[in-house]
Amino acid sequence: MRKYLLFAIFLLVTVEVKADSARFYFETKTRAAGPGSEITIKLKLSSQDPINAVNLILNYPPEIFKPLAFNDSHSIIDVWKTRQMRVDNGAIYLAGGLTKPFSGTDGEIAEVIFSAQAEGLARLELVAAEIYLADGFGTRQKLPEQEFEILIDSQAVMVKPKVKIDREPPRFEFTQTFWSPAESVYLVIFQAKDSSSGLRAVYLRTMNWLKWTDWAEVTNPTKLPSSLWLYQIKALDNQGNEHQETFYLWRELILKIIYLVLIIVILGGIILLRKCQRLEKS
């Protein structure tokens, strides 16, 4: 049941309305800091109506700020479709779904740590903010854009967050593989969590016959290449701990075994036929 719920999150047919009961907002203990500081900023949500998905674009000044880490350990988002931090254009793209609808205040989306690279007034701008209601229709609500400013000044105190040692690896709450008739490919949907330092990324590699591909970063849902029979998925947290799982596509494996047996039988028959022909000639 959960598999189909999650797949539906990414295939929502939406009706767009304006929001009057929800808002995103920023939270930090730092409003002024010196260059070289590492500033923790939380992006949060308040909503009277239950929601089950979000879609956001957050702009930051790349000449002043550099994103260091993305921590989702306390996020209400269960399944990430997009979580990309771009350093070239100063944008962070976030999109994901919730297996359990959220309503209320203080709903944390993510915590981002920025490094202050230079002096100036750093303005964070939430230029795109959408939520999807858990109303049976996936109604999309556009929320007001938000701005937040932090002064980086040489006269201000340098700040750095306390680093908690994380020795626990991340975990997969579930991983589901299913066939998509519409695209004629296998799709994988997963939910990875890390309750301490947060999830850094999820990687996947596949085996086609007896050769592994390179590890590649993946998001939800991810397409599997054709003709594979085995894949591995790995979750990595922000302190380097990792957890890896292996999955077999039994239908594809059985087909490959059948093909291999057929090839052996055919080659054996050809070899036997040639031996018989040599015996007849002799």
Side-chain angles (χ1 to χ4, degrees):
M1 180 65 182
R2 177 182 283 185
K3 174 177 70 175
Y4 300 109
L5 172 63
L6 291 174
F7 188 61
I9 286 175
F10 303 111
L11 297 177
L12 291 173
V13 177
T14 63
V15 178
E16 184 177 319
V17 299
K18 291 185 178 180
D20 56 4
S21 61
R23 69 183 183 95
F24 288 102
Y25 59 98
F26 299 97
E27 184 177 281
T28 183
K29 296 179 180 179
T30 306
R31 297 306 300 266
S37 294
E38 295 178 2
I39 302 167
T40 301
I41 299 174
K42 295 180 180 181
L43 178 60
K44 293 190 171 184
L45 169 69
S46 172
S47 177
Q48 295 179 16
D49 300 316
I51 70 155
N52 60 15
V54 303
N55 186 28
L56 308 167
I57 300 177
L58 172 63
N59 286 348
Y60 66 90
E63 69 278 5
I64 300 177
F65 270 176
K66 177 183 178 182
L68 295 180
F70 180 95
N71 190 334
D72 64 351
S73 59
H74 301 293
S75 177
I76 61 174
I77 305 299
D78 295 309
V79 183
W80 290 100
K81 183 180 181 181
T82 305
R83 33 177 287 170
Q84 183 182 19
M85 297 193 295
R86 295 279 300 272
V87 296
D88 55 343
N89 65 348
I92 297 176
Y93 303 89
L94 302 175
L98 293 72
T99 55
K100 181 180 179 181
F102 169 83
S103 63
T105 59
D106 205 39
E108 184 171 318
I109 304 298
E111 176 184 284
V112 182
I113 299 177
F114 290 97
S115 171
Q117 304 289 299
E119 293 187 80
L121 187 63
R123 178 180 290 109
L124 302 177
E125 298 176 301
L126 197 60
V127 296
E130 298 175 341
I131 59 174
Y132 296 80
L133 299 182
D135 59 358
F137 300 98
T139 302
R140 179 174 62 185
Q141 287 191 347
K142 285 190 174 183
L143 303 191
E145 297 181 2
Q146 300 288 339
E147 292 186 358
F148 190 79
E149 294 179 343
I150 297 178
L151 178 64
I152 306 301
D153 190 281
S154 59
Q155 302 300 314
V157 177
M158 182 182 295
V159 298
K160 288 185 182 286
K162 293 182 179 179
V163 178
K164 296 180 180 179
I165 302 301
D166 177 13
R167 293 187 174 89
E168 294 295 324
R171 66 189 185 278
F172 286 101
E173 299 290 338
F174 64 86
T175 304
Q176 297 284 352
T177 310
F178 58 94
W179 178 257
S180 171
E183 300 179 88
S184 297
V185 295
Y186 282 103
L187 296 177
V188 177
I189 289 181
F190 55 86
Q191 181 184 351
K193 297 288 288 185
D194 187 271
S195 58
S196 184
S197 62
L199 188 70
R200 179 187 297 177
V202 175
Y203 300 90
L204 186 142
R205 67 175 181 174
T206 63
M207 180 174 282
N208 190 354
W209 290 105
L210 298 176
K211 184 179 180 181
W212 284 109
T213 61
D214 294 331
W215 288 103
E217 187 173 349
V218 293
T219 55
N220 279 293
T222 187
K223 296 180 182 179
L224 295 178
S226 59
S227 300
L228 70 92
W229 58 276
L230 171 67
Y231 74 88
Q232 291 182 329
I233 191 167
K234 176 173 66 175
L236 183 71
D237 69 20
N238 282 307
Q239 292 194 17
N241 303 301
E242 64 178 58
H243 175 70
Q244 180 176 303
E245 295 184 1
T246 301
F247 295 91
Y248 293 87
L249 275 65
W250 293 107
R251 177 180 176 274
E252 301 300 324
L253 177 57
I254 291 171
L255 287 175
K256 288 188 181 298
I257 292 174
I258 292 173
Y259 293 154
L260 185 59
V261 170
L262 287 175
I263 291 172
I264 292 173
V265 170
I266 293 171
L267 289 177
I270 293 173
I271 293 172
L272 182 61
L273 179 62
R274 289 182 177 177
K275 283 186 178 180
C276 291
Q277 290 174 342
R278 290 195 193 100
L279 288 174
E280 288 178 357
K281 289 180 180 180
S282 61

